[in-house]
């Protein structure tokens, strides 16, 4: 697996926010991550999501689409491979959208895990 570029410094704070959502047929979920402190910069190297057929994935950082819409996730939750080389930065928000385009009954679970670090001055 490639290393995160640029590498975090010892003083930087790890960022790992795993979660799961249940989506019914033709529904979507958007998860939004925002810094707790003002003037924070985050670097995200990996955005992992459950890979499911008939799905769509989008990644936005500071309101800019940096991935998708695509039929596959940036990386599968089971792989946790580095997605962005160099790591992408955001200061205001990270939004991850997953859509279940399947037209059947029942729900599907999507696990979502952004990984990176907060740059500490």
């Amino acid at each position: 697996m490639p290393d995160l570029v640029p590498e975090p410094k010892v003083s930087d704070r790890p960022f790992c926010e795993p979660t799961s959502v249940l989506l019914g047929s033709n529904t979507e979920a958007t998860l939004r991550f925002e810094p707790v402190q003002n003037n924070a910069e985050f670097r995200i190297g990996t955005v992992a999501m459950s890979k499911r057929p008939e799905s769509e994935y989008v990644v936005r950082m500071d309101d800019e689409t940096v991935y998708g819409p695509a039929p596959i996730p940036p990386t599968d939750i089971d792989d946790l491979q580095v997605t962005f080389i160099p790591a992408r930065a955001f200061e205001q928000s990270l939004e991850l959208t997953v859509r279940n385009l399947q037209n059947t009954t029942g729900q599907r679970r999507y696990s979502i895990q952004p990984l990176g670090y907060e740059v500490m001055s």
Side-chain angles (χ1 to χ4, degrees):
M1 173 165 75
D3 291 333
L4 190 58
V5 176
E7 290 184 11
K9 297 176 187 164
V10 174
S11 61
D12 292 337
R13 183 178 299 149
F15 176 78
C16 178
E17 293 289 330
T19 190
S20 291
V21 295
L22 290 173
L23 295 180
S25 175
N26 293 306
T27 60
E28 71 177 47
T30 297
L31 302 169
R32 185 175 174 96
F33 303 92
E34 298 176 337
V36 176
Q37 301 175 17
N38 291 333
N39 301 323
E41 181 181 68
F42 284 82
R43 294 202 181 268
I44 299 296
T46 300
V47 176
M49 300 183 206
S50 298
K51 184 177 180 181
R52 304 261 186 259
E54 298 181 60
S55 297
E56 186 175 77
Y57 306 87
V58 179
V59 177
R60 289 182 194 84
M61 294 182 185
D62 292 337
D63 296 322
E64 175 190 354
T65 300
V66 298
Y67 182 87
I72 59 171
T75 192
D76 190 348
I77 196 78
D78 294 326
D79 296 335
L80 286 180
Q81 294 293 315
V82 172
T83 306
F84 303 111
I85 300 174
R88 299 292 305 238
F90 76 91
E91 294 178 357
Q92 298 170 357
S93 66
L94 168 67
E95 286 186 357
L96 308 176
T97 300
V98 61
R99 294 180 180 97
N100 178 5
L101 303 175
Q102 197 173 42
N103 198 14
T104 60
T105 59
Q107 295 182 323
R108 297 199 292 183
R109 178 177 303 280
Y110 290 84
S111 295
I112 300 163
Q113 186 173 12
L115 296 164
Y117 59 94
E118 180 181 0
V119 177
M120 303 303 288
S121 301

